[in-house]
């Protein structure tokens, strides 16, 4: 389960609309909670590293960008919980490319952007055997960590 605030969802939607007709991408930073849920505290936008002609279909985060994001997260005492990207004029479900480049444990939010406007937004998790994604429940509120 992924907890996030309405302003996090808005930030992802706006990033997707801004980069349309290209894919946007970024990281979800926050905390893994003791109950196995994830709580997002911050959206970390990253530019799309792909060549212009490939941008429309696939997202890629450069290793140095990921390192910078991970360093930033550590400084804020946060963890990388997962990634988000947009699907311009496509459904908010993972592509074969997404499946081949995903890791278990992380959350993968996909926002569909249709004709420049953010539409459905869903979160996915890779199954442990890496064969496919499962839909991950999104809770649009912050879950408070009770035991510190
Ligand atoms: Zn995708």
């Amino acid at each position: 389960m992924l907890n996030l605030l309405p302003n996090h969802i808005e930030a992802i939607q706006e990033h997707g609309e801004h980069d349309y007709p290209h894919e946007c991408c970024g990281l979800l930073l926050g905390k893994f909670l003791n109950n196995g849920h994830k709580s997002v505290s911050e959206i970390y936008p990253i530019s799309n590293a792909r060549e212009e002609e490939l941008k429309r279909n696939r997202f890629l985060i450069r290793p140095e960008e990921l390192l910078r994001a991970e360093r930033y997260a550590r400084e804020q005492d946060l963890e990388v919980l997962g990634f988000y990207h947009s699907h311009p004029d496509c459904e908010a479900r993972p592509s074969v490319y997404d499946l081949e480049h995903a890791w278990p444990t992380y959350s993968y939010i996909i926002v569909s952007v249709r004709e420049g406007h953010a539409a459905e937004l869903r979160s996915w998790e890779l199954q442990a055997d890496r064969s496919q994604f499962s839909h991950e429940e999104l809770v649009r509120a912050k879950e408070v960590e009770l035991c510190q």
Side-chain angles (χ1 to χ4, degrees):
M1 196 182 294
L2 186 66
N3 299 278
L4 74 180
L5 295 171
N7 64 298
H8 297 137
I9 293 175
E10 282 160 24
I12 293 169
Q13 289 170 330
E14 280 169 19
H15 191 190
E17 290 178 352
H18 180 267
D19 283 13
Y20 181 89
H22 304 306
E23 283 195 8
C24 74
C25 63
L27 274 70
L28 310 167
L29 306 182
K31 291 281 190 189
F32 288 95
L33 304 183
N34 293 334
N35 59 7
H37 299 174
K38 306 180 193 101
S39 182
V40 174
S41 345
E42 214 174 303
I43 298 300
Y44 189 95
I46 286 184
S47 58
N48 198 320
R50 288 257 160 195
E51 294 301 315
E52 201 64 29
E53 66 268 23
L54 288 175
K55 269 187 180 175
R56 204 179 156 88
N57 303 314
R58 290 164 179 191
F59 84 98
L60 175 75
I61 296 172
R62 288 196 211 98
E64 65 267 27
E65 286 179 316
L66 189 57
L67 283 174
R68 197 182 310 134
E70 284 173 340
R71 197 180 311 131
Y72 171 82
R74 265 201 308 278
E75 285 165 5
Q76 310 295 315
D77 196 26
L78 299 173
E79 296 161 289
V80 176
L81 304 179
F83 303 87
Y84 71 88
H85 71 286
S86 63
H87 278 182
D89 296 315
C90 282
E91 281 184 69
R93 51 177 58 251
S95 64
V96 173
Y97 179 90
D98 294 335
L99 182 64
E100 287 170 350
H101 294 81
W103 297 282
T105 312
Y106 288 121
S107 295
Y108 290 87
I109 288 182
I110 300 177
V111 59
S112 171
V113 183
R114 297 182 186 277
E115 296 178 354
H117 299 285
E120 72 269 21
L121 181 148
R122 309 191 82 179
S123 185
W124 304 85
E125 267 182 320
L126 191 62
Q127 291 181 3
D129 66 2
R130 304 178 78 132
S131 64
Q132 57 181 317
F133 280 96
S134 331
H135 184 225
E136 183 183 36
E137 193 183 343
L138 275 179
V139 176
R140 292 167 192 236
K142 187 119 175 164
E143 187 170 345
V144 179
E145 198 167 15
L146 294 172
C147 29
Q148 291 283 355

